[in-house]
Structures are given as structure tokens and as C-alpha cells.
DNA sequence: GTTAGCATGTAAGGAGTTACATGATTTT
DNA sequence: AAAATCATGTAACTCCTTACATGCTAAC
């Protein structure tokens, strides 16, 4: 759970930070958060929840008193104080791990709760990671060792273009970040229920 | 090796079909073929080569007679007749597996050796897979259950845009394919069709 | 009345990574 | 002389998926 698993852990912690939830619901949210084709299985989620429970970051409370007429007792997971601590600490981190392929997406998804300097560091880290990638691919294309038919070329061209766009996107975000943009309210940790004070920039 | 592993198997077979190679070289080629951040480890490659050998698709020949003055004896892998058979058969396949996330890239990389109707089927399959994805994300965004802050929204918007571009790319490729494109370059720039030849089914 | 969705889990296994182990050769 | 690259492998481990096991409720 030290490298990849951190992504799932953070995502679960973050979603439960928003609101307590049961496994089934959590999975749906996770699927749209982790996005794009990836579908998380229960075989991953439930053991992860168990581990987080054992670590003391979450507690499971069974809804047996209010079974809502016939409905199966659902197990609702809730963040502990340690869990909240862990989550906020994780959000402060801005080392290389925070901008690798596996973590960047989740880190970005929680940007609203991340401090602005941290956001910039992560965005820049991600950008230079992608730029390194572009560089090495361009070099190896120039050295021209490999198979070159029209399709291989097209695949390479398309890949290059996609990554270039990604870099452009990141650059825009960084600039917006630097000019105050995206303005978020300075983190709300007290209120358990948010009544949508402000959603548009 | 039945589902995901098929991708690596196909890639190895395809590269060895081009030319016999030793493991180290193979890995480098594989890395640029599988592309983008993915770096294949020896811990995956060598066991795979062993399995392919056991299956009779490749043979390993040690270069002991010509150690090229001091150079460590390299083990060169070569396709057998069965391996060639297997490779060409694999290239004919155009079922759902050929356009999933894990295989599409490799299938595309070997398009130059794939029959044109097969190419079209794979491209169309891939496109409709992505379109399904777009659809479901758009729906869930409309139903609007999830967390909505500026960053989550931006992430979603960007993801949507990327997939849309991908779909556009595929559409272009399909059209080019239908008008003879790529292999034997008729270099047809006239483009007489302003009317849609109907791409959706 | 049967399909689809809700709900919680476990067991087995696959694919791949990291770290280890070893050593020669070329470049800086 | 050191560092990078060439070269081949193995063992342990991790993350995740698939398939299984169970059963209820709502819609069609």
C-alpha cells in the first residue's frame, strides 16, 4: 500500500471526508473519480476498507437500528480524527509521487482542499514529467532506430500530440493559479454539512 | 496469459517477426512500442520469453560460437513456424478484445501487417467503445450526483475533451481507411465527398 | 416472473514491479 | 577511476480482477 495503494487510500479518505458512506456507494463515487474505463472491484475496495479500519483511519458502523423497512443493513464508513489528520497531511505532500501517473488524477480531484502553493508545485511537477517524456520520445524518433511504417508513425505522432496538449493544459492551469484564479474558499473543515455557499468562480 | 498477457505476447511475436533479437534489445523496442511511461521490466519479459519458448512459438539460440571478442554470450530469440502462424492468426482477430484499452495500441502498431477490413473493424470497435464511455460520463454528469467544485469540473471537462479528440482521430483514420488510405499511398487529396458516407450504426 | 440494481464479502490467481544477484564493456 | 550501458536472470511482493457466494427490492 506504499505506492500505488496510496492513491486508493487517499481517494477513499477524501470521499469519506466529504460524507460518511457505505461500500456500494463509495465504489460508484470512486469509479467516477478514478475515471475513464477503470472500474474498481469489490475485491479491491472491501479489503482496503478493512485495512483502513485496522489502521484506525475509519470506523465502520452498521445500520441495524434503522434498517429502513426490509432494506439490508448497510455498513457505513466514517472518518476518524486520525483519518482526517492523515487526509490533510497527505494533501500537503508535493513530492514526485504526487505527480506520477497513478496519483496525479486523485491529487487534482482534491485540489479544492489543497493549498495553492502545493497545487502549483504538483502541476509543475506533472508538467516537467510529461516534458521529459516528450523529450525522450523525440530523441529516440530522431535517432530513428525503430520500425517505421505509416501506422507506427501515426501512432507516435498522435501520442506526441496528446501529451503536448496535456502540457498545454497544465500550463494554462499553472498560469490561472498564479493569477489568483479558480479562487477557492480557504478550506472548510468544521461544518459536516455544506449548504453550497459558493460554487461558481 | 489469456487476456492482458496476450498483449505482451503479441508484441514480442511481432517484433521477433521483424527480426530475431536478444532480450535486452527486445525490451527497448517493447518500451517504445508499448509507449508512454510504461517501462517493461525484465521480471516480466524473461518469464514471458520462457513461456513462449515452452509453447513452441520461439526458439532461443545462444551465440557461443561467435562471442564477438569478450562480449557476453547473448541469447537470440527467433520465431518458429508455429510462432509465425500464431502471429498472423492473432492479427486476423477483430473481436472486442482487440479494441480494449490494453490491446488496441499494440494492434494498431501492427496495422501495416493487418488486413484492411480487420483494421476498419478494430478502429470502429475502438471508437464505439469510447463513445459509450463518453455517453455514460455525460449522463452521470447530467444526473449530477457528485461533488462539484471548480477542479473536479475541470478534470471532468478535460477528460471529456481528450476522449472526444480520440474519437475524432479514429473517425479520420476510418475515413482514410475506407478511401484506400495508407498502405498503398494513392495520395488522394481531391476529397470529392462532402456528403457523409454514413459512419454511425 | 425475471431482469436490473442494491448490498457485502471471500478465494484464487494473473500480470507486473522492485530488489536482488552477477559480471563485462564502453564512455566520460 | 567512475559511471553508464550492456546483458541475463530469480524471488518476493503488490495491486487488482474474476469468479464465487448470498440475498433483498424495485421495475418492467
Amino acid at each position: 500500500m506504499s505506492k500505488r495503494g496510496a492513491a486508493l487510500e487517499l481517494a477513499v479518505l477524501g470521499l469519506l471526508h466529504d460524507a460518511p458512506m457505505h461500500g456500494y456507494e463509495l465504489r460508484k463515487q470512486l469509479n467516477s473519480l478514478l475515471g475513464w474505463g477503470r472500474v474498481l472491484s469489490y475485491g479491491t475496495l472491501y479489503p482496503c476498507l478493512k485495512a483502513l479500519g485496522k489502521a484506525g483511519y475509519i470506523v465502520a458502523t452498521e445500520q441495524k437500528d434503522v434498517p429502513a423497512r426490509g432494506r439490508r443493513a448497510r455498513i457505513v464508513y466514517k472518518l476518524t480524527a486520525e483519518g482526517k489528520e492523515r487526509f490533510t497531511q497527505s494533501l500537503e505532500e508535493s513530492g514526485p509521487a504526487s505527480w506520477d501517473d497513478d496519483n496525479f488524477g486523485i491529487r487534482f480531484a482534491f485540489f479544492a482542499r489543497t493549498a495553492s502553493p502545493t497545487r502549483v508545485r504538483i502541476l509543475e511537477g506533472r508538467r516537467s514529467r510529461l516534458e521529459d517524456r516528450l523529450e525522450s520520445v523525440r530523441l529516440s524518433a530522431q535517432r530513428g532506430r525503430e520500425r517505421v511504417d505509416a501506422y507506427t508513425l501515426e501512432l507516435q505522432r498522435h501520442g506526441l500530440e496528446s501529451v503536448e496538449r496535456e502540457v498545454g493544459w497544465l500550463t494554462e492551469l499553472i498560469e490561472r493559479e498564479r493569477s489568483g484564479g479558480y479562487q477557492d474558499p480557504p478550506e472548510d473543515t468544521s461544518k459536516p454539512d455544506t449548504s453550497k455557499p459558493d460554487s461558481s468562480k
Side-chain angles (χ1 to χ4, degrees), chain A:
Chain A
M1 210 177 247
S2 39
K3 240 174 197 141
R4 257 278 230 309
L8 182 54
E9 184 195 303
L10 184 64
V12 169
L13 256 31
L15 286 177
L16 292 182
H17 192 275
D18 281 3
M21 246 178 273
H22 56 275
Y24 192 87
E25 177 69 18
L26 200 46
R27 178 181 175 249
K28 281 196 303 180
Q29 304 262 47
L30 247 15
N31 282 340
S32 75
L33 199 69
L34 273 354
W36 310 119
R38 311 217 10 50
V39 175
L40 192 74
S41 65
Y42 297 118
T44 312
L45 178 59
Y46 284 117
C48 172
L49 286 171
K50 204 174 271 186
L52 284 174
K54 207 179 287 178
Y57 297 136
I58 63 176
V59 273
T61 51
E62 197 163 346
Q63 231 75 353
K64 65 177 116 193
D65 44 333
V66 187
R69 236 184 68 259
R71 188 160 220 94
R72 179 175 184 168
R74 303 186 296 182
I75 295 171
V76 174
Y77 298 92
K78 205 178 140 181
L79 232 59
T80 62
E82 288 85 12
K84 275 177 198 165
E85 180 77 2
R86 170 78 164 189
F87 180 61
T88 34
Q89 260 177 9
S90 296
L91 285 192
E92 270 165 45
E93 242 190 277
S94 59
S98 63
W99 58 68
D100 73 16
D101 291 331
D102 298 309
N103 293 314
F104 176 73
I106 290 99
R107 292 306 308 268
F108 192 93
F110 292 118
F111 260 22
R113 290 224 241 321
T114 307
S116 182
T118 309
R119 291 196 295 241
V120 175
R121 246 173 292 133
I122 293 176
L123 290 170
E124 285 176 337
R126 179 72 185 158
R127 185 175 55 175
S128 70
R129 158 90 32 124
L130 292 183
E131 277 167 345
D132 288 352
R133 227 114 96 176
L134 284 175
E135 193 60 20
S136 78
V137 172
R138 285 212 191 89
L139 274 173
S140 82
Q142 229 172 12
R143 275 196 281 89
R145 297 273 356 78
E146 284 111 44
R147 355 176 320 99
V148 251
D149 55 81
Y151 288 104
T152 314
L153 233 54
E154 177 59 29
L155 190 57
Q156 194 148 93
R157 194 202 56 71
H158 178 250
L160 230 43
E161 195 190 284
S162 298
V163 180
E164 273 160 9
R165 295 203 111 246
E166 198 85 10
V167 168
W169 180 63
L170 290 166
T171 299
E172 260 177 62
L173 287 172
I174 290 165
E175 260 155 45
R176 227 179 299 180
E177 206 66 58
R178 287 225 177 90
S179 56
Y182 262 139
Q183 221 58 265
D184 72 306
E187 90 157 307
D188 156 60
T189 31
S190 47
K191 292 289 175 188
D193 190 357
T194 56
S195 48
K196 289 272 175 299
D198 178 38
S199 47
S200 57
K201 82 168 202 104

